[in-house]
């Protein structure tokens, strides 16, 4: 399996991207290797074209928000690179204002808004509960 940098360099060559281009993050999604594999598969298949993050998590950790133009490497549950993504748009909305279109673009579960709300509430609360302070 190639390293993250080898994977990214191969992707840049195959996509005829600027050789000096760099990625912002290399990371997996979810809170378990199994979920990371599921989400990575959805991204690779093209079924998942959007994602959501908890604004409070960025604020708590003092992490910079994602920015339009960010390029990232997606890792699977074994922390192996499987895809390169490009961030086309970003926006902040209250949890209750996320709509069915966003849920469908995320491609998870049955792609319904009810599924999105249930699973993201679980994930965000679990993640916040693990944070000190």
């Amino acid at each position: 399996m190639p390293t993250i940098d080898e994977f990214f360099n191969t992707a840049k060559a195959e996509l005829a991207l600027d050789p000096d281009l760099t990625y912002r993050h290399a990371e997996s999604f979810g809170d378990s290797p199994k979920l990371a594999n599921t989400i990575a598969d959805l991204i690779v298949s093209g079924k998942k074209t959007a994602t959501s993050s908890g604004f409070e998590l960025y604020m708590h950790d003092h992490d910079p928000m994602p920015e339009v133009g960010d390029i990232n490497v997606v890792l699977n549950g074994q922390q192996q690179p499987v895809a390169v993504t490009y961030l086309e748009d970003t926006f902040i909305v209250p949890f209750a204002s996320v709509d069915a279109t966003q849920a469908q673009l995320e491609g998870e579960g049955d792609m319904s808004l009810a599924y999105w709300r249930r699973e993201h509430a679980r994930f965000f609360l679990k993640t916040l509960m693990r944070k000190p302070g």
Side-chain angles (χ1 to χ4, degrees):
M1 189 56 138
T3 66
I4 294 167
D5 288 336
E6 290 169 343
F7 182 87
F8 186 66
N9 288 331
T10 298
K12 285 192 299 187
E14 289 180 6
L15 297 169
L17 300 175
D18 180 346
D20 295 328
L21 200 61
T22 60
Y23 58 90
R24 182 171 180 183
H25 296 290
E27 59 192 350
S28 58
F29 292 84
D31 56 3
S32 70
K34 180 179 178 183
L35 183 55
N37 283 334
T38 298
I39 293 174
D41 289 345
L42 291 170
I43 291 168
V44 169
S45 73
K47 189 173 181 180
K48 180 175 182 63
T49 60
T51 195
S52 300
S53 299
F55 180 76
E56 293 83 3
L57 298 173
Y58 287 100
M59 298 301 99
H60 181 277
D61 294 341
H62 305 287
D63 285 340
M65 296 289 294
E67 297 179 15
V68 171
D70 282 354
I71 295 173
N72 297 298
V73 177
V74 177
L75 306 178
N76 65 16
Q78 292 68 48
Q79 300 303 293
Q80 298 168 328
V82 296
V84 173
T85 61
Y86 174 81
L87 185 59
E88 291 182 354
D89 196 9
T90 185
F91 49 91
I92 299 171
V93 299
F95 185 89
S97 296
V98 171
D99 63 17
T101 299
Q102 176 69 24
Q104 187 172 29
L105 291 172
E106 292 207 25
E108 298 172 30
D110 65 5
M111 300 190 314
S112 70
L113 183 56
Y115 178 91
W116 184 95
R117 285 190 174 146
R118 182 180 66 249
E119 291 303 309
H120 282 77
R122 179 198 63 78
F123 177 79
F124 294 153
L125 289 172
K126 181 178 176 183
T127 303
L128 280 170
M129 296 298 284
R130 286 190 297 208
K131 303 263 180 209

